[in-house]
Amino acid sequence: MISDVQSKEGKSGTTAFVFVVSLSGNPLAPVTVDYASAAGTAGAPSDFQIVAGTLTFPVGVNIRTVTVSVLGDRVREADELFTVNLSNPSANAYIDRGQGVATIVNDD
């Protein structure tokens, strides 16, 4: 399962949007799952930096995070959305909620 994230974008620099990926129990063997960000009303690379990779949950670990850097600006605009999607779970797992939605709250 992956969480949703909502935060202000900031006026400059980057803001970390941290998605929490969790397992429903403690794994008895390592679990892996792929993740990738995807544009919505927010685009890359103008609003956020693209991320992709594989999370590994060792035995006894049931929480990992995916961090996406959101780019701040001074442009007045509506709140914008992007997603982080989970896919390809290892054979000993399944994906219950595979899409985390990020809301970039305009603060200009």
Side-chain angles (χ1 to χ4, degrees):
M1 178 163 100
I2 187 168
S3 67
D4 293 333
V5 179
Q6 179 175 323
S7 186
K8 294 180 180 179
E9 66 182 347
K11 305 232 185 261
S12 63
T14 60
T15 300
F17 277 47
V18 180
F19 294 83
V20 176
V21 181
S22 60
L23 302 178
S24 61
N26 291 320
L28 301 176
V31 172
T32 61
V33 65
D34 295 338
Y35 65 89
S37 57
T41 54
S46 59
D47 296 309
F48 69 95
Q49 296 174 348
I50 295 171
V51 298
T54 302
L55 291 176
T56 300
F57 296 83
V59 172
V61 174
N62 61 1
I63 294 179
R64 288 287 192 216
T65 60
V66 174
T67 301
V68 178
S69 293
V70 171
L71 306 169
D73 61 35
R74 295 182 177 272
V75 177
R76 284 185 190 249
E77 55 197 353
D79 293 351
E80 298 175 296
L81 305 174
F82 69 91
T83 60
V84 172
N85 300 298
L86 303 179
S87 62
N88 302 320
S90 56
N92 58 336
Y94 69 94
I95 297 173
D96 179 36
R97 181 176 187 270
Q99 185 173 74
V101 178
T103 304
I104 303 172
V105 178
N106 183 53
D107 58 354
D108 299 307

